[in-house]
Amino acid sequence: NAGVTQTPKFQVLKTGQSMTLQCAQDMNHEYMSWYRQDPGMGLRLIHYSVGAGITDQGEVPNGYNVSRSTTEDFPLRLLSAAPSQTSVYFCASSYRTGRTDTQYFGPGTRLTVL
Amino acid sequence: GQQVMQIPQYQHVQEGEDFTTYCNSSTTLSNIQWYKQRPGGHPVFLIQLVKSGEVKKQKRLTFQFGEAKKNSSLHITATQTTDVGTYFCSEGNTGKLIFGQGTTLQVKP
């Protein structure tokens, strides 16, 4: 299994441009999430999904859209990039066994907005 | 909303010394998860605690969940250079996790 894959690894955008960060998992996990990581602020949840066709907002959803048309894929769209969106973006997938959730993170996308 | 506070933000230790990071919440936590992120890497799941007063061990790592389920700690005995990284606690489930700010551990050989 490849686990959780993310593309691209690095991206530089100009203010106002749009782009999609790709995330895929091959573990048949129900739950998928997007986080951004900024220095000193830990990981903050952007959007998450509990299954195909179902998405919900996290702590910092503004400026981002998501969709989940299949179990495997969970793309994150930046509608009009801003310098404040410069960050490292992590996608994660998880499943639940009993009362335990185990989240698996992708390698991340490092985004710079100029 | 739920907030999870983690202290300290940074810790420098000499190899062989012990290390502890603490996670605190003003409200009762349903569970606590711990992750480790190596420099330049992605978070890797270490463990989840769900029961009041629960203690779990993984080799030199000891994880505790408070009796009131409002705090948790991760203790590393006799640190090694391989322990370098940032340790995060988090709370939640079904894909929705709230993370603490993390504790970055530096180990001097």
Side-chain angles (χ1 to χ4, degrees):
Chain A
N1 287 353
V4 181
T5 57
Q6 290 183 240
T7 56
K9 284 188 167 51
F10 301 92
Q11 183 71 49
V12 179
L13 292 178
K14 294 181 180 177
T15 297
Q17 287 184 314
S18 62
M19 80 159 293
T20 299
L21 307 185
Q22 301 292 344
C23 174
Q25 53 95 4
D26 61 358
M27 298 175 282
N28 201 32
H29 285 172
E30 300 171 77
Y31 315 119
M32 295 187 76
S33 315
W34 276 103
Y35 298 88
R36 60 176 289 174
Q37 185 173 33
D38 303 294
M41 300 192 73
L43 294 111
R44 291 182 292 169
L45 181 65
I46 304 172
H47 287 284
Y48 67 104
S49 169
V50 299
I54 306 169
T55 64
D56 206 348
Q57 295 181 350
E59 302 170 88
V60 288
N62 291 344
Y64 307 94
N65 273 357
V66 291
S67 60
R68 183 114 179 257
S69 55
T70 67
T71 299
E72 294 79 18
D73 300 298
F74 192 42
L76 178 73
R77 296 182 190 83
L78 278 69
L79 309 172
S80 177
S84 60
Q85 294 179 305
T86 294
S87 188
V88 180
Y89 291 85
F90 289 102
C91 178
S93 73
S94 61
Y95 67 97
R96 168 159 269 206
T97 305
R99 296 171 68 186
T100 301
D101 291 79
T102 303
Q103 280 219 339
Y104 294 83
F105 282 81
T109 294
R110 282 148 181 81
L111 175 67
T112 301
V113 183
L114 303 175
Chain B
Q2 179 71 48
Q3 278 200 322
V4 178
M5 307 301 293
Q6 198 173 346
I7 55 170
Q9 190 172 358
Y10 299 99
Q11 185 84 56
H12 294 236
V13 300
Q14 198 74 38
E15 189 173 21
E17 291 181 338
D18 292 355
F19 159 77
T20 306
T21 173
Y22 301 90
C23 197
N24 298 298
S25 172
S26 57
T27 59
T28 303
L29 302 167
S30 60
N31 60 68
I32 199 85
Q33 296 188 4
W34 286 94
Y35 291 81
K36 177 183 179 181
Q37 184 178 26
R38 294 183 188 274
H42 59 274
V44 174
F45 175 83
L46 294 175
I47 209 160
Q48 177 169 310
L49 307 172
V50 295
K51 296 178 184 175
S52 168
E54 191 169 13
V55 178
K56 288 187 177 179
K57 293 191 176 186
Q58 290 180 350
K59 297 183 181 177
R60 294 178 294 105
L61 278 61
T62 302
F63 304 85
Q64 291 190 314
F65 202 7
E67 292 289 341
K69 298 182 75 172
K70 290 186 176 182
N71 56 73
S72 180
S73 64
L74 158 59
H75 179 81
I76 302 178
T77 303
T79 54
Q80 299 175 359
T81 54
T82 54
D83 295 324
V84 163
T86 301
Y87 293 84
F88 292 98
C89 61
S90 69
E91 190 260 353
N93 51 51
T94 60
K96 184 181 179 185
L97 293 189
I98 302 301
F99 281 81
Q101 300 92 328
T103 296
T104 298
L105 173 64
Q106 302 270 23
V107 180
K108 296 180 217 176

